[in-house]
Amino acid sequence: MATVDEYLLQIRDLTIVPPVLMSVLSIQDDNEVSFGEIEKKVQTDQVLVARLLKLANSPFFSRGNAVANMKQVITRLGFKTVRSMVAMAMTDSLFSKGNYKKFRDEVWDHSIAKGIYAQMLCEQKKLKKEAELSLTCGLMQDLGKIVLNTIDRQKYVEVLVAYQTSDDTILSCEKKAFEVDSMEMGVGAAKLWKLPAPVIETMEEKSQTLENQKTLTKAIEFGGLLARLSGHGKMEIDTLDRFKNYAQFFEINPDSLETYPKEAGEKLLKNELYQFCASL
């Protein structure tokens, strides 16, 4: 029987998580020192610099004044926006290891929508600390899927086919194929690569009940359920009921729940971070 540790041995020396992403995830403070740190780290990846310059000079952000370097980009977009976009751009390179439609629809697009919805919720509820972490932690929650897909792409294609054509959960389909699931693999890989503590914590708490999760994990779970309800990922049998439970915790008006996913989906399509991802 295959174990998490055996699979981790197969990926131990693979550069699945880009070093720039790991460095950027570890920068927490919004001050002059962190501005300098993020500028220095981003400069090591010229493709990433080009993407961020393109975004900063887009009509949405430019206001008619062109920028030519990362210092100006950070000044224009703000530290938190740049950090989020670095995470998204670098995470796109992670998900490109599964560059086929089923994987991008069920994993990449779902993860992006989940992270953005979680961030929007935290900002709405004035959860400042959680808002700063929700996007990147939401993106990284599906790291285990990337790892399993990297280990055996053909087998993971079969997992996604089984998931899309049955009432089984993605975790049960993974267990049947790999004898482990993506939650186990994600936590194991995150610890192996020493990802930041909040990323590991939200992965570990994902399998727990709502009552035992911290607010950040609750927000990410809410975002993931809302993503499925608004067409970003497959609806599961318990998706709606679980969504209502999380909505109750965050004191969302029950009368608005029927139209909430549709309205959230419309906001998502207009969101600059989501539009940035669509351009990757």
Side-chain angles (χ1 to χ4, degrees), residues 261-273:
K262 182 176 183 295
E263 292 170 356
E266 291 170 352
K267 288 179 183 176
L268 181 69
L269 294 178
K270 297 174 183 177
N271 182 278
E272 64 269 20
L273 294 177

Side-chain angles (χ1 to χ4, degrees), residues 43 78-79 87 170 196 235 272:
Q43 293 284 14
F79 172 79
I170 187 73
M235 278 270 291
E272 64 269 20

Side-chain angles (χ1 to χ4, degrees), residues 154-171:
Q154 184 53 46
K155 190 180 285 188
Y156 207 77
V157 171
E158 293 168 5
V159 165
L160 290 174
V161 170
Y163 174 58
Q164 293 290 345
T165 57
S166 72
D167 290 331
D168 292 341
T169 65
I170 187 73
L171 298 179

Side-chain angles (χ1 to χ4, degrees), residues 229 240 243-244 253-263:
L229 287 168
L240 183 57
F243 173 72
K244 289 178 179 177
N253 184 352
D255 295 336
S256 71
L257 293 185
E258 187 174 340
T259 58
Y260 197 99
K262 182 176 183 295
E263 292 170 356

Side-chain angles (χ1 to χ4, degrees), residues 26-79:
S26 69
I27 302 173
Q28 299 297 333
D29 299 318
D30 187 355
N31 54 41
E32 287 186 18
V33 174
S34 56
F35 268 56
E37 281 187 43
I38 200 169
E39 179 187 2
K40 185 165 59 178
K41 293 180 189 304
V42 169
Q43 293 284 14
T44 64
D45 189 315
Q46 290 307 306
V47 174
L48 179 58
V49 170
R51 285 174 167 175
L52 292 173
L53 282 171
K54 179 180 178 183
L55 179 75
N57 286 311
S58 68
F60 191 90
F61 287 108
S62 70
R63 299 183 292 278
N65 300 311
V67 296
N69 57 56
M70 276 309 302
K71 188 182 293 292
Q72 292 173 334
V73 168
I74 296 169
T75 301
R76 172 166 294 174
L77 301 183
F79 172 79

